[in-house]
């Protein structure tokens, strides 16, 4: 069935970790990852005595920026120093969950609860981890514990309903959903979850009503669109046009999901749009060259139009990618090779299928067909055997063949086969397959999460269901970059190149706006050791700006931003014309403020916590932005031609909502560097925010030409 909507894939969690970290119900990253203090002064592990609060804070910074492995190293230090504290265990549980270590997350959450039974978030993450690993009874108990302490937590209530349904407690799930509707009648995920419950109970009309309600609340909810397409498909051919319109909209909102194109191709094929189907398969493979569903489907479509050679080439690739275990591909390859006259190759594939499925009538019929074409007089034995097995299967389960083969869900066509009708072979096996997109949609749209009975989970960076877009990020100087096909190396910055040419620093500087997380323990350890080296050297030698700068870069790498800012400041004091010191102090200042802003994004009903000196977190972030702008102005005084400094100013201004200043800064960046795609993208974004759609569209088009892929998604949305 197209778009199979299963319970395993429609379980959902609530609020996302600021749209970046795995789904945890109402455990707001803003409450988890940050503390109220304004200064960051974590100590490197080389020191004999550590300030645990500061170490935990730096670990939270690393966690916020998705450096999960690094964050665990900090929390390990805190636990070793004060094993009786609950918070380090809780944060380590979050990090382990983000790394798909469900057992570790559950264990650490339990240790946190043992030390402080009043941490509601610990029960919550333990519940989510248990739900992912299939311990539904334990998950339900944890969710109920949270609701005892926080009765109006809609996200946990939603998770509870989904876990209850997964556990077969449909009546209890129904009651929980009704409570949820009363608590939050505009909560779209509740309608999606309830629609799935009704579908599970066979009430397709009720499911349709609820999914329509979810789309009324948020027409950009990709998960709801996929669900709606699935319901349309259940109507057969009459629903294909509606399903296709849903898929068109889902692709418009999320144009980088290969499975969406595979499934739209299936719909186009069923509607006799062969050219459109082939185009979708080709594009799906541009996005994901090893997508076996797309390769298989393209092979079937090629065979259907008589392009047998390329069809077999595609099937060869599927077999290779799946280690020879894709029996549907082997079956089709055998049939096509028979048509091509490659009878020995066809027989080899048929033998593999017979050996893998000795009780499958279709396997023996396939081998009979090939052996007969080869003139094998013993072929009739395979035919007789297939007939006998098929009759036995029909007699054993005449009215429930599908249920009889439920244990072979992936191979149902093999077991539901009538060898007396030779056309059944082609009809059963020469058909396109689809991808279950319910879980993938959740990851993309932020509409549904997944915690299945089989232990599957989806997590990672997600996009808001309403299609929210973000600015291209700041350019930074770093030790690590991630090459891509479009950008195999970092950006050039003369000031960084000049420092590298001195060979004074322990690592080479690189420039990028796509930093990578430091997840190799050996690399992490080397940078801690580098901090110790610089600290020892500085204490025994006359002060040099480059040494403070080098230690500051190590602190930046391990996410200790306040100490990094202090070292960059000292480097600038010792060498007032040290451009990179001002540049990186601006970045460190902003990073500290960014990690702190989680405090301002706690529960909507909670008041903002005051910062140092009575300043609100919003005020502190505003001050950090002003300080960063001041440093970048100094950078431009020293290096007037540095385009990325203007660009960074534009990003900061835009983030603060000062679009006029942002536009001016981005204009300067583009004037200095006309091929800077990121600047065009952000300027297009700013133009749209200022209401200038034509200029915004032109900039996004130019940014796309220059390799900024998200430009096309934003352009489609804004051109609606």
């Amino acid at each position: 069935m197209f778009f199979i909507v299963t319970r395993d894939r429609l379980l959902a969690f609530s609020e996302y970790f600021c749209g970046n970290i795995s789904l945890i119900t109402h455990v707001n990253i803003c409450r988890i990852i940050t503390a109220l203090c304004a200064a960051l002064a974590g100590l490197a592990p080389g020191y004999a005595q550590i300030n645990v609060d500061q170490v935990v804070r730096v670990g939270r910074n690393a966690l916020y920026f998705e450096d999960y492995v690094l964050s665990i190293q900090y929390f390990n230090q805190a636990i070793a120093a004060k094993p009786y504290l609950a918070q380090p265990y809780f944060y380590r549980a979050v990090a382990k969950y983000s790394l798909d270590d469900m057992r570790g997350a559950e264990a650490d959450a339990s240790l946190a609860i043992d030390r402080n039974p009043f941490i509601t978030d610990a029960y919550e993450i333990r519940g989510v981890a248990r739900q992912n690993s299939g311990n539904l009874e334990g998950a339900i108990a944890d969710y109920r514990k949270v609701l005892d302490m926080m009765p109006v937590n809609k996200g946990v209530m939603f998770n509870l309903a989904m876990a209850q349904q997964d556990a077969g407690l449909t009546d209890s799930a129904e009651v929980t959903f009704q409570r949820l509707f009363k608590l939050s009648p505009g909560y779209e995920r509740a309608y999606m979850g309830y629609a799935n419950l009704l579908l599970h109970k066979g009430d397709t009309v009720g499911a349709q009503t609820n999914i329509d309600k979810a789309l009324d609340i948020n027409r950009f909810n990709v998960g709801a669109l996929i669900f709606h397409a699935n319901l349309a498909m259940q109507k057969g051919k009459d629903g294909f046009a509606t399903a296709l319109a849903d898929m068109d909209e889902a692709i418009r909102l999320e144009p980088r999901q290969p499975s969406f194109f595979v499934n739209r191709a299936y719909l186009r094929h069923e509607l006799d749009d062969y050219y459109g189907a082939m185009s979708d398969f080709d594009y799906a493979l541009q996005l994901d060259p090893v997508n076996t569903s797309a390769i298989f489907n393209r092979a079937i479509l090629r065979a259907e139009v008589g392009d047998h050679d390329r069809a077999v080439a595609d099937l060869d690739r599927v077999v290779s990618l799946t280690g020879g275990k894709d029996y549907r591909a082997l079956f089709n390859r055998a049939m096509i090779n028979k048509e091509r006259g490659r009878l020995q190759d066809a027989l080899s594939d048929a033998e593999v299928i017979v050996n893998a499925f000795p009780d499958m009538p279709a396997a023996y019929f396939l081998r009979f067909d090939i052996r007969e074409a080869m003139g094998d007089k013993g072929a009739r034995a395979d035919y007789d055997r297939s007939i006998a097995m098929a009759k036995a299967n029909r007699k054993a389960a005449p009215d429930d063949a599908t249920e009889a083969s439920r244990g072979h869900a992936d191979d149902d066509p093999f077991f539901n086969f009538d060898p007396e009708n030779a056309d059944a072979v082609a009809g059963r096996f020469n058909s396109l397959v689809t991808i279950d997109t319910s879980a993938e949609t959740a990851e993309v749209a932020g509409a549904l999460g997944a915690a299945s009975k089989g232990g599957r989970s989806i997590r990672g960076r997600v996009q808001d269901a309403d299609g929210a877009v973000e600015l291209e990020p700041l350019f930074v100087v770093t030790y690590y970059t991630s090459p891509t096909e479009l950008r195999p190396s970092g950006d050039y910055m003369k000031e960084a190149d000049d420092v590298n040419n001195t060979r004074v620093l322990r690592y080479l500087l690189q420039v990028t706006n796509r930093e990578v997380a430091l997840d190799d323990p050996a690399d992490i350890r080397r940078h801690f050791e580098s901090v110790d080296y610089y600290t020892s050297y500085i204490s025994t030698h006359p002060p040099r700006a480059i040494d403070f700068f080098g230690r500051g870069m190590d602190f930046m790498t391990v996410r200790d931003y306040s100490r990094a800012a202090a070292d960059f400041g000292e480097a600038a004091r010792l060498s007032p014309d040290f451009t990179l010191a001002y540049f990186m102090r601006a970045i460190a200042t902003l990073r500290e403020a960014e990690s702190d802003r989680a405090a301002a994004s706690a529960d909507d009903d909670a008041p903002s916590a005051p910062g140092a000196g009575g300043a609100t977190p919003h005020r502190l972030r505003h001050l950090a932005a002003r300080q960063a702008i001041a440093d970048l102005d100094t950078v431009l005084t020293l290096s007037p031609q540095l385009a990325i400094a203007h660009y960074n100013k534009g990003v900061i201004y835009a983030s603060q909502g000062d679009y006029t200043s942002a536009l001016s800064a981005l204009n300067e960046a583009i004037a200095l560097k006309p091929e800077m795609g990121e600047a065009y993208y952000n300027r297009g974004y700013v133009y749209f925010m200022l209401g200038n759609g034509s200029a915004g569209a032109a900039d996004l088009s130019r940014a796309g030409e220059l390799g900024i892929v998200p430009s096309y998604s934003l352009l489609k949305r804004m051109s609606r």
Side-chain angles (χ1 to χ4, degrees), residues 210-400:
N210 278 273
I211 208 64
D212 287 343
K213 178 64 175 177
L215 286 170
D216 287 342
I217 295 171
N218 182 3
R219 62 195 175 105
F220 298 115
N221 190 319
V222 179
L225 287 167
I226 297 301
F227 201 135
H228 194 266
N230 173 66
L231 292 174
M233 282 298 301
Q234 293 188 18
K235 300 175 184 177
K237 286 277 189 180
D238 293 340
F240 283 3
T242 298
L244 181 59
D246 288 334
M247 287 308 305
D248 286 341
E249 180 68 0
I251 287 173
R252 189 184 71 82
L253 293 168
E254 286 297 337
R256 303 291 295 174
Q257 294 302 316
S259 62
F260 290 4
F261 289 94
V262 173
N263 288 339
R264 188 174 71 175
Y266 169 82
L267 287 167
R268 286 178 161 178
H269 172 268
E270 292 300 305
L271 293 170
D272 297 327
D273 180 6
Y274 287 80
Y275 178 79
M278 187 66 77
S279 296
D280 274 349
F281 289 140
D282 288 341
Y283 190 68
L285 288 169
Q286 288 182 36
L287 296 173
D288 181 7
V290 294
N291 188 308
T292 54
S293 294
I295 301 170
F296 174 84
N297 284 343
R298 188 173 68 178
I300 299 305
L301 195 57
R302 283 174 167 173
E304 192 169 337
V305 298
D307 189 357
H308 290 152
D309 289 345
R310 291 205 294 173
V312 168
D314 275 344
L315 292 172
D316 288 345
R317 193 173 178 203
V318 173
V319 172
S320 175
L321 289 170
T322 58
K325 301 299 184 182
D326 192 313
Y327 298 104
R328 183 186 293 269
L330 289 169
F331 202 106
N332 278 278
R333 189 170 69 176
M335 289 194 298
I336 297 172
N337 274 330
K338 175 182 173 292
E339 293 296 320
R340 301 164 75 207
R342 306 279 183 89
L343 298 179
Q344 190 57 53
D345 291 339
L347 182 61
S348 296
D349 283 343
E351 296 285 3
V352 172
I353 296 168
V354 168
N355 291 333
F357 299 98
D359 299 324
M360 183 175 70
Y364 293 97
F365 186 87
L366 173 67
R367 190 168 68 178
F368 151 72
D369 200 26
I370 297 169
R371 291 174 67 187
E372 185 180 49
M374 297 175 74
D376 185 345
K377 295 181 179 180
R380 185 72 185 182
D382 278 340
Y383 178 82
D384 292 341
R385 187 169 186 177
S386 68
I387 291 289
M389 293 174 66
K391 288 180 177 179
N393 288 347
R394 287 199 299 272
K395 184 176 180 180
D399 299 321
D400 198 14

Side-chain angles (χ1 to χ4, degrees), residues 101-307:
D101 180 4
M102 299 303 161
R103 290 179 180 271
E106 180 180 350
D108 275 350
S110 296
L111 290 170
I113 290 168
D114 290 343
R115 286 154 178 78
N116 184 351
F118 301 103
I119 300 181
T120 57
D121 293 343
Y123 290 101
E124 189 172 357
I125 191 174
R126 188 173 70 176
V128 173
R130 285 174 167 176
Q131 194 171 1
N132 269 277
S133 57
N135 181 2
L136 298 173
E137 183 178 348
I140 290 171
D142 280 337
Y143 294 146
R144 289 195 181 281
K145 183 69 174 179
V146 176
L147 290 172
D148 286 343
M149 294 184 281
M150 301 176 62
V152 296
N153 189 319
K154 65 181 182 182
V156 172
M157 195 177 298
F158 179 77
N159 275 8
L160 173 62
M162 305 306 274
Q164 287 169 330
Q165 183 183 338
D166 223 12
L169 306 173
T170 54
D171 291 341
S172 297
E174 174 92 27
V175 171
T176 304
F177 272 122
Q178 295 306 322
R179 287 177 55 202
L180 183 54
F181 289 135
K182 291 180 181 179
L183 172 66
S184 182
Y187 189 36
E188 67 201 69
R189 293 180 188 171
Y191 293 98
M192 295 177 69
Y194 190 50
N196 183 62
L197 175 63
L198 294 175
L199 190 64
H200 179 73
K201 295 168 70 172
D203 183 0
T204 55
V205 175
Q208 184 75 57
T209 300
N210 278 273
I211 208 64
D212 287 343
K213 178 64 175 177
L215 286 170
D216 287 342
I217 295 171
N218 182 3
R219 62 195 175 105
F220 298 115
N221 190 319
V222 179
L225 287 167
I226 297 301
F227 201 135
H228 194 266
N230 173 66
L231 292 174
M233 282 298 301
Q234 293 188 18
K235 300 175 184 177
K237 286 277 189 180
D238 293 340
F240 283 3
T242 298
L244 181 59
D246 288 334
M247 287 308 305
D248 286 341
E249 180 68 0
I251 287 173
R252 189 184 71 82
L253 293 168
E254 286 297 337
R256 303 291 295 174
Q257 294 302 316
S259 62
F260 290 4
F261 289 94
V262 173
N263 288 339
R264 188 174 71 175
Y266 169 82
L267 287 167
R268 286 178 161 178
H269 172 268
E270 292 300 305
L271 293 170
D272 297 327
D273 180 6
Y274 287 80
Y275 178 79
M278 187 66 77
S279 296
D280 274 349
F281 289 140
D282 288 341
Y283 190 68
L285 288 169
Q286 288 182 36
L287 296 173
D288 181 7
V290 294
N291 188 308
T292 54
S293 294
I295 301 170
F296 174 84
N297 284 343
R298 188 173 68 178
I300 299 305
L301 195 57
R302 283 174 167 173
E304 192 169 337
V305 298
D307 189 357

Side-chain angles (χ1 to χ4, degrees), residues 319-500:
V319 172
S320 175
L321 289 170
T322 58
K325 301 299 184 182
D326 192 313
Y327 298 104
R328 183 186 293 269
L330 289 169
F331 202 106
N332 278 278
R333 189 170 69 176
M335 289 194 298
I336 297 172
N337 274 330
K338 175 182 173 292
E339 293 296 320
R340 301 164 75 207
R342 306 279 183 89
L343 298 179
Q344 190 57 53
D345 291 339
L347 182 61
S348 296
D349 283 343
E351 296 285 3
V352 172
I353 296 168
V354 168
N355 291 333
F357 299 98
D359 299 324
M360 183 175 70
Y364 293 97
F365 186 87
L366 173 67
R367 190 168 68 178
F368 151 72
D369 200 26
I370 297 169
R371 291 174 67 187
E372 185 180 49
M374 297 175 74
D376 185 345
K377 295 181 179 180
R380 185 72 185 182
D382 278 340
Y383 178 82
D384 292 341
R385 187 169 186 177
S386 68
I387 291 289
M389 293 174 66
K391 288 180 177 179
N393 288 347
R394 287 199 299 272
K395 184 176 180 180
D399 299 321
D400 198 14
T402 300
E403 286 297 324
S405 63
R406 187 62 53 85
H408 305 277
D410 291 336
D411 303 298
D412 277 351
F414 291 129
F415 293 90
N416 301 320
F417 170 69
D418 182 3
E420 293 178 338
N421 180 3
D423 292 337
V425 176
R428 290 285 186 178
F429 299 101
N430 285 349
S431 58
L432 304 185
V433 298
T434 59
I435 298 176
D436 183 347
T437 56
S438 54
E440 186 168 348
T441 298
E443 185 175 6
V444 172
L448 292 174
S452 75
K453 287 179 278 190
R456 301 172 191 158
S457 67
I458 58 171
R459 49 166 298 279
R461 298 186 67 87
V462 295
Q463 191 170 28
D464 294 340
D466 62 358
V469 295
E470 297 178 347
L471 293 162
E472 282 289 295
L474 297 164
F475 276 89
V476 301
V477 177
T478 179
Y479 289 139
Y480 299 94
T481 61
S482 179
T484 66
E485 185 176 350
L486 293 176
R487 182 164 295 175
S489 61
D491 285 73
Y492 175 76
M493 183 180 182
K494 179 180 182 299
E495 292 75 10
D497 196 46
D498 288 343
V499 171
N500 285 336

